[in-house]
Amino acid sequence: MNDWIKTDIVVIGSGIAGLTFALESARLGMKVVILTKNETRESNTNYAQGGIAAVVTDNDSFDLHVKDTLVAGAGLCDKSAVECIVHQAPEAIAWLIEQGTNFSKTHDKALEVGREGGHSRHRIVHAKDLTGREIERALTDAVSSHPLITTIEHAIALDLSFTSGVECTGITAFIPHEHRLLSVTAKATMLATGGCGQVYAHTTNPSIATGDGYAIAARAGAELKNMEFVQFHPTSLYHPNAHSFLISEAVRGFGCELKRRDGSTFMEEYHPLGSLAPRDIVARAIVREMRLSGDTSMFLDCTAHDEDTLRAHFPTIFEECLRWGIDISKEMIPVVPAAHYECGGIVTDLHARTSIKRLYACGEVACTGVHGANRLASNSLLEAVVFAKAAAQDVIHLPEVTSGIVLHESNFSTQKGALTTSIVHLLKQEIQEVMWKNVGIVRHTQELEFAQNRLLAMADEIEYLYRHNELTLELIEVRNMTQTALLIASGAASRTENCGLHFNVNLW
Ligand code: FAD
Ligand code: SIN
């Protein structure tokens, strides 16, 4: 059965990008349908800790924020996109507050600002160490009470629909628990599907981050770039049973230092900013120190602060570490890098327009030019708000889709059997291991070639399984994961010089 809905705007994803775009489009009078593959709040946004970068104090300036972003981006940023987000950051913060977001305040009621790696000033607006959860709460509340917005949870987008192959006219989704397809036709389609950390064995990202949007866009022929620039966050908790829980960079911004097991500091040997150097440098330094020492992690020392102070500023991190038996006011936290953020993605302009007519992309899935070869911490939530708002201003001018709608052709059939979950699970694990071991922080030409070949073979195998078995959420995701992993591996294999997050030892 193929159900069909017609609306003004369809949004795929309910993180900060999708929700902001939905709210702004609805404010301009458009009817919006949001499709999201889990519960509305389940997104990378919901786990963001550090905050949002914005110039909100007198000793800071737009020029400094622009400069820090360009330095982190290692020469590959688009300056006009950087200027755009930096200049609109104070307005974006005001907008989030208007939607109900409660940011942390100082005693005199000013916004409290923290500092993170690569930033020359304190400029990270935050809600303790739960910034993403607070934003997601506020935006979800605003969306759920808006009469022009309908949210359909547990609907996984499959592929775009087109009028005679030229203009995007919407999307077809699969609703696993009802075992049916749903097609949504709209004058604009927004991919706000977030990132792809799950293609790696170790990641700070939740399970939804399987790279669906990159794969959907690539299959439709949209332009993507810079996929090789995967940011590894330097400090995720190292514990055999903890799932790469993030220890926010704001902790280092609060004066806590990276150390070896014997308590000696090392970051000053790698960069003048020490523990607050840009992420690519810190992550590589940690990997090198682990190799030199044979240790399974490096350490983050917070013990200069007492328990009350740490609990007041980082309640979630304090509790989570305690859950794993680490009292961070008394002992150092074992940390290792983990896949965190995809700097590349679907190429978009300053209104989030992609290379395909009527198709927009925003948030982590987009490549706006802001991040270049390495993202400056806390610029991504900001980027999502600024470009989502700009996109809403653009789609208002689009004419209706009137004719020639061709619905997506899928392999949907009730006649097919379902693959066992263990096969899909094994395929997923293999992708994650291939990527972690061969397309990680430190790369080698031979390993990149190996990864590409292995992923190509897996892509064929998975395509066959996709065509010949009943659709399931897991099968759809694993197909998207191989295709996204391939985009990253082939981007890395074809980049001929080291830059930002791409570091291939054979190019030196
Ligand atoms: P997401 O928030 O990931 O939302 C994507 C949405 O798309 C989800 O709702 C998902 O379910 C849905 N979706 C995906 N595929 C499909 C599909 N096929 N069909 C239907 N729905 C789909 N950035 C900062 O700027 N500051 C921070 O402090 C910060 N901290 C972070 C901490 C952690 C632990 C992590 C993981 C990231 C952090 N980031 C931070 C990065 C930032 O959170 C993300 O880049 C940002 O939230 C992405 O927002 P988004 O709306 O693009 O995607
Ligand atoms: C963090 O809190 O360290 C994450 C910030 C980010 O990824 O921008």
Side-chain angles (χ1 to χ4, degrees):
M1 198 173 66
N2 202 352
D3 288 345
W4 184 54
I5 298 176
K6 192 166 186 300
T7 181
D8 293 328
I9 307 290
V10 61
V11 185
I12 331 299
S14 54
I16 191 169
L19 297 179
T20 302
F21 176 68
L23 284 166
E24 282 296 279
S25 300
R27 188 179 63 79
L28 297 172
M30 290 173 273
K31 260 187 2 198
V32 182
V33 170
I34 302 174
L35 303 179
T36 190
K37 70 175 171 177
N38 200 293
E39 283 163 15
T40 305
R41 288 191 194 180
E42 194 52 16
S43 57
N44 272 0
T45 302
N46 203 39
Y47 297 88
Q49 293 185 356
I52 309 191
V55 174
V56 292
T57 58
D58 291 343
N59 78 336
D60 199 358
S61 70
F62 289 153
D63 284 350
L64 281 174
H65 189 179
V66 168
K67 187 169 160 232
D68 293 345
T69 305
L70 296 177
V71 169
L76 292 198
C77 300
D78 175 340
K79 197 169 176 215
S80 61
V82 174
E83 284 170 346
C84 179
I85 65 154
V86 166
H87 288 247
Q88 291 184 49
E91 197 187 311
I93 299 289
W95 184 84
L96 286 167
I97 293 171
E98 233 172 77
Q99 307 311 308
T101 311
N102 294 308
F103 290 116
S104 298
K105 300 261 181 65
T106 61
H107 290 305
D108 50 5
K109 305 245 179 316
L111 287 168
E112 185 178 85
V113 281
R115 190 164 166 203
E116 290 180 350
H119 287 276
S120 59
R121 291 289 185 275
H122 281 70
R123 65 167 74 98
I124 315 299
V125 177
H126 56 276
K128 296 195 173 163
D129 60 356
L130 288 167
T131 310
R133 196 188 300 177
E134 175 55 13
I135 292 173
E136 195 66 24
R137 182 203 59 75
L139 298 187
T140 305
D141 285 355
V143 158
S144 62
S145 59
H146 203 294
L148 288 178
I149 305 177
T150 307
T151 303
I152 305 177
E153 294 184 326
H154 301 287
I156 179 162
L158 290 178
D159 273 304
L160 300 166
S161 311
F162 287 93
T163 50
S164 21
V166 184
E167 296 196 348
C168 175
T169 54
I171 190 103
T172 296
F174 177 62
I175 315 223
H177 62 284
E178 291 170 8
H179 202 62
R180 69 179 170 98
L181 292 181
L182 171 69
S183 290
V184 186
T185 298
K187 67 174 182 170
T189 302
M190 169 61 83
L191 284 174
T193 43
C196 57
Q198 283 294 327
V199 304
Y200 285 93
H202 304 285
T203 178
T204 61
N205 292 189
S207 61
I208 52 97
T210 49
D212 300 0
Y214 308 102
I216 290 171
R219 286 197 293 272
E223 189 189 346
L224 284 96
K225 75 170 188 188
N226 289 357
M227 291 295 287
E228 60 276 25
F229 297 123
V230 176
Q231 184 171 72
F232 291 81
H233 198 292
T235 57
S236 77
L237 174 64
Y238 175 74
H239 186 284
N241 300 323
H243 284 290
S244 303
F245 174 75
L246 182 75
I247 309 294
S248 174
E249 208 158 278
V251 174
R252 276 175 282 141
F254 200 62
C256 305
E257 280 197 279
L258 282 164
K259 294 189 173 168
R260 301 185 179 99
R261 183 180 290 279
D262 64 9
S264 58
T265 56
F266 57 89
M267 273 312 302
E268 66 281 4
E269 295 166 27
Y270 294 88
H271 196 277
L273 284 171
S275 287
L276 280 177
R279 281 186 191 168
D280 54 333
I281 292 161
V282 184
R284 282 199 289 272
I286 290 178
V287 168
R288 183 162 182 272
E289 290 291 326
M290 282 165 62
R291 210 182 51 233
L292 291 176
S293 64
D295 273 327
T296 46
S297 72
M298 285 291 114
F299 297 86
L300 186 58
D301 188 356
C302 306
T303 59
H305 300 289
D306 62 26
E307 176 172 341
D308 288 347
T309 310
L310 290 169
R311 276 188 185 276
H313 285 86
F314 307 109
T316 322
I317 293 170
F318 195 96
E319 275 305 320
E320 183 68 16
C321 289
L322 206 55
R323 194 159 83 84
W324 299 106
I326 305 159
D327 177 345
I328 67 172
S329 65
K330 296 195 173 60
E331 55 199 309
M332 298 196 293
I333 312 172
V335 288
V336 285
H340 183 62
Y341 184 86
E342 172 57 80
C343 293
I346 306 166
V347 176
T348 53
D349 66 10
L350 297 183
H351 287 93
R353 289 179 287 226
T354 71
S355 60
I356 293 178
K357 278 189 192 149
R358 296 179 186 271
L359 176 67
Y360 292 72
C362 190
E364 188 164 341
V365 76
C367 183
T368 61
V370 163
H371 309 306
N374 185 19
R375 176 181 65 105
L376 185 68
S378 288
N379 266 351
S380 44
L381 295 172
L382 169 61
E383 178 197 37
V385 174
V386 169
F387 290 113
K389 290 174 103 219
Q393 293 295 335
D394 197 69
V395 294
I396 185 84
H397 302 298
L398 286 176
E400 291 296 309
V401 176
T402 47
S403 63
I405 297 163
V406 182
L407 293 182
H408 162 73
E409 208 188 294
S410 92
N411 74 337
F412 187 74
S413 158
T414 48
Q415 307 303 315
K416 297 170 184 167
L419 260 188
T420 67
T421 43
S422 91
I423 294 179
V424 182
H425 185 67
L426 279 175
L427 289 165
K428 183 171 173 173
Q429 263 184 344
E430 187 175 349
I431 297 166
Q432 292 172 329
E433 287 301 325
V434 166
M435 290 300 285
W436 185 253
K437 291 182 180 147
N438 303 287
V439 198
I441 299 168
V442 176
R443 299 167 177 177
H444 299 77
T445 303
Q446 210 178 34
E447 291 176 358
L448 292 175
E449 277 165 18
F450 168 81
Q452 266 185 290
N453 291 337
R454 191 66 209 103
L455 289 164
L456 270 173
M458 287 185 77
D460 281 350
E461 200 177 328
I462 291 170
E463 197 58 29
Y464 180 85
L465 296 173
Y466 182 80
R467 298 275 151 211
H468 293 88
N469 289 277
E470 206 174 277
L471 284 184
T472 61
L473 172 74
E474 294 76 17
L475 181 56
I476 295 164
E477 285 184 339
V478 87
R479 177 179 183 235
N480 289 330
M481 282 173 68
T482 6
Q483 294 175 2
T484 299
L486 252 174
L487 291 167
I488 299 170
S490 56
S494 52
R495 190 158 282 278
T496 52
E497 57 189 25
N498 286 332
C499 179
L501 295 158
H502 177 67
F503 182 72
N504 177 345
V505 290
N506 300 121
L507 296 180
W508 287 60

